[in-house]
Amino acid sequence: MAAVTDPNGVRWSVHRRWRPHYLNAVNPTDTGDALISELTFNLLLIAVTWPFWFIAKWLGVRWKIVIERDGTVVSETLVRGWRRSQRYIEELTQSAAADTLPQSPES
């Protein structure tokens, strides 16, 4: 994750979203068997879907680049390729550090 603070003191963060938000949230008030079953289900889901996710990324499925301003998501952009997404993250980070990144890059 690339994080910078612009000249105005605003903190920007730019990173790839590695996985979709499909996992069940574990309820912190659960105890015993319920907690163990939720964790087991989540680990099983990851183990089953990870190989397909990896193959899809290798074959060219786009990475989701997330841009955050002071902890709030400002924009999400899809970029194809690991190297291209890394260059895009670097460009956005440099732009944020120079205070030339707009509030919402996609607007």
Side-chain angles (χ1 to χ4, degrees):
M1 171 176 16
V4 295
T5 303
D6 70 14
N8 299 321
V10 177
R11 184 151 174 83
W12 293 86
S13 166
V14 184
H15 58 93
R16 289 181 195 90
R17 176 158 297 152
W18 281 87
R19 60 172 177 77
H21 294 286
Y22 60 81
L23 296 179
N24 291 341
V26 174
N27 187 351
T29 60
D30 283 348
T31 56
D33 292 338
L35 181 62
I36 291 172
S37 66
E38 286 179 16
L39 289 173
T40 303
F41 175 76
N42 286 335
L43 290 173
L44 182 61
L45 187 61
I46 290 169
V48 169
T49 60
W50 184 83
F52 298 104
W53 173 88
F54 180 77
I55 291 168
K57 292 297 183 181
W58 187 72
L59 291 174
V61 171
R62 297 177 290 177
W63 290 94
K64 185 175 282 191
I65 307 298
V66 179
I67 304 164
E68 296 178 359
R69 182 178 190 264
D70 283 334
T72 304
V73 175
V74 173
S75 178
E76 294 180 347
T77 307
L78 295 175
V79 178
R80 188 177 309 276
W82 178 265
R83 289 187 186 125
R84 189 176 296 158
S85 66
Q86 184 61 37
R87 283 192 303 266
Y88 187 65
I89 289 171
E90 290 170 4
E91 290 171 12
L92 290 172
T93 304
Q94 290 171 1
S95 180
D99 198 25
T100 58
L101 188 65
Q103 172 73 19
S104 177
E106 300 199 316
S107 60

